[in-house]
Amino acid sequence: MDDKKRLPDAELAVMQAIWAVGGEAGRGDIEGALASHGWSANTVNTYLTRLCDKGFLTSRREGRNNLYTPLVSKDKYLEFESRSVLKRLYGGSLGSFVAALNAEKPLEKSEIDELRQFLDDMSR
């Protein structure tokens, strides 16, 4: 994932649709998952081609259709994106990130408890 870059929102939406399908995804499945965007088939095809070129997807021909398989898992991309946001916006400081979350609207007690439990689990 180190050589990959952050995806634009539209390409990320396509990847999320493919991750939701799971495994290989045909164009029909992908277009169905993206129907709410109102994109044409050509637009979806453009995004799929870009994602293949960037190394996020691979495609193989089966009959008259292409099947697309993710080369990057959703978990790996979320980890990469999370670290990227933390670095770009908060200088890598987790404390600054949590402070920003709490600044506008204080965290709920349940959120603080969840965070505390997560940190306790990590330190074991």
Side-chain angles (χ1 to χ4, degrees), residues 4-70:
K4 305 284 188 274
K5 299 215 185 277
R6 183 175 177 273
L7 292 173
D9 290 345
E11 291 173 18
L12 179 57
V14 173
M15 284 302 297
Q16 288 173 323
I18 293 170
W19 289 322
V21 169
E24 281 188 323
R27 285 277 306 269
D29 294 327
I30 297 166
E31 288 176 7
L34 294 168
S36 64
H37 291 275
W39 293 332
S40 71
N42 285 341
T43 298
V44 172
N45 190 53
T46 297
Y47 292 139
L48 290 168
T49 299
R50 286 181 189 168
L51 288 164
C52 287
D53 291 345
K54 291 178 178 182
F56 282 87
L57 294 176
T58 186
S59 68
R60 73 175 180 87
R61 196 94 167 134
E62 187 172 281
R64 298 181 68 202
N65 298 313
N66 283 338
L67 296 175
Y68 297 89
T69 304

Side-chain angles (χ1 to χ4, degrees), residues 81-105 107 115:
E81 184 72 26
S82 297
R83 290 186 184 280
S84 175
V85 166
L86 187 64
K87 185 177 178 182
R88 279 184 296 118
L89 300 180
Y90 300 97
S93 169
L94 190 56
S96 295
F97 173 72
V98 173
L101 287 176
N102 194 57
E104 179 83 19
K105 176 182 172 232
L107 295 171
L115 182 57

